[in-house]
Amino acid sequence: MSNEKVVWITGASSGIGEALALELARGGAKLVLSARRADRLEALRLRCPDPARVAVLPLDVADTTRAKEHAETAQVPFGRVDVMVHNAGITQRSLVVDTALDVDRRIMEVNYFGVVALTKALLPSMIARKSGHFVVVSSVVGYVGTQQRSAYAASKHALHGFFEALRAEGHADGVKVTMVCPGYVSTDLTLSALRGDGSVHGERAASNAAGMSPAQCAHRIAHAIETQPREVYVGGREVAAIYLRRFAPGLLARILPRVNAT
Ligand SMILES: NC(=O)c1ccc[n+]([C@@H]2O[C@H](COP(=O)([O-])OP(=O)(O)OC[C@H]3O[C@@H](n4cnc5c(N)ncnc54)[C@H](OP(=O)(O)O)[C@@H]3O)[C@@H](O)[C@H]2O)c1
């Protein structure tokens, strides 16, 4: 990692974001860490090799009215943000038929509108410098909608459309986009998943628990920050679903009714 890069990571208080912060800090990047739990961000800052090269910016991505203020604040400690890692996210465990519309809206607010708002707030500074990189943590579910994840799938699919357009618009201004699509990663994600009535699922899914470690996933993302590919698929054999969708959609449609990982 170039030690000149300033990387702003949302969702840095746990899981993939936390592991990515540690990996990038060890590589010499300067970091701005965001999430709602300020105490966890500060503890993470102190675990980094040089805490003076790490700033903490607590925020709720769903509070889009403050996105501009947050983007300005993020640029204060190190003078700019070179790489924005949109990693904060929540998931869902409920069938469409059981899911209140408010839950669909909540997931879109966090996973989609929160990302869009911070992107719009930061983009002008990148265009002015003719340089910038958005790294967007989507999911295999950003390509393949699976059972009990309708709103989550919708929010991640929406990110692909938004950022495909931004990649084209940003080309002339040196603004790059990398979409990261993890499969199962062993994190707390399903603990905070929303049920159909908006309550918290509170269970660790077996499928995620058996997945790759956050550190392994973070390592792949760190490499993508260096190499700036358009997309990265990270995970085990579940990643094959993305290729099935592209090359054998009929076969995938016959398989998906039998896939209902909790
Ligand atoms: N784990 C997997 O299997 C998997 C697979 C594919 C994609 N992903 C994606 O990977 C990303 C990271 O998830 P993870 O697996 O590392 O789960 P995680 O451990 O639950 O981390 C989620 C992070 O998002 C933050 N967050 C949630 N709501 C927020 C809000 N309103 N404002 C600001 N921050 C918020 C959380 O921090 P606070 O609670 O402190 O705010 C936490 O730091 C997500 O976008 C997820 O969709 C995960």
Side-chain angles (χ1 to χ4, degrees), residues 10-18 34-38 40-41 59-63 86-91 106 110-111 137-141 152 156 180-192 207-208 214:
T10 66
S13 63
S14 71
I16 296 167
E18 178 183 17
S34 290
R36 290 166 300 177
R37 287 170 292 179
R40 290 186 64 127
L41 295 175
L59 56 79
D60 182 341
V61 294
D63 185 359
H86 287 299
N87 168 73
I90 53 171
T91 191
R106 173 69 189 159
V110 175
N111 292 5
V137 182
S138 172
S139 170
V140 168
V141 179
Y152 181 71
K156 296 296 191 182
V180 180
C181 301
Y184 296 123
V185 185
S186 180
T187 69
D188 288 347
L189 186 67
T190 56
L191 284 177
S192 60
S207 49
N208 288 71

Side-chain angles (χ1 to χ4, degrees), residues 18-108:
E18 178 183 17
L20 180 64
L22 287 171
E23 162 113 16
L24 295 180
R26 288 185 196 117
K30 294 173 184 156
L31 301 178
V32 180
L33 306 180
S34 290
R36 290 166 300 177
R37 287 170 292 179
D39 53 337
R40 290 186 64 127
L41 295 175
E42 180 57 21
L44 175 59
R45 188 179 80 81
L46 297 175
R47 282 163 60 208
C48 291
D50 183 356
R53 293 169 70 87
V54 181
V56 160
L57 171 54
L59 56 79
D60 182 341
V61 294
D63 185 359
T64 54
T65 60
R66 297 186 64 192
K68 206 157 174 260
E69 170 199 333
H70 292 319
E72 283 165 10
T73 309
Q75 294 176 72
V76 170
F78 309 112
R80 65 187 191 281
V81 170
D82 299 307
V83 184
M84 161 108 248
V85 183
H86 287 299
N87 168 73
I90 53 171
T91 191
Q92 167 197 19
R93 283 300 179 274
S94 56
L95 301 172
V96 172
V97 71
D98 296 328
T99 304
L101 189 58
D102 281 351
V103 172
D104 294 78
R105 287 193 199 281
R106 173 69 189 159
I107 291 171
M108 289 300 286

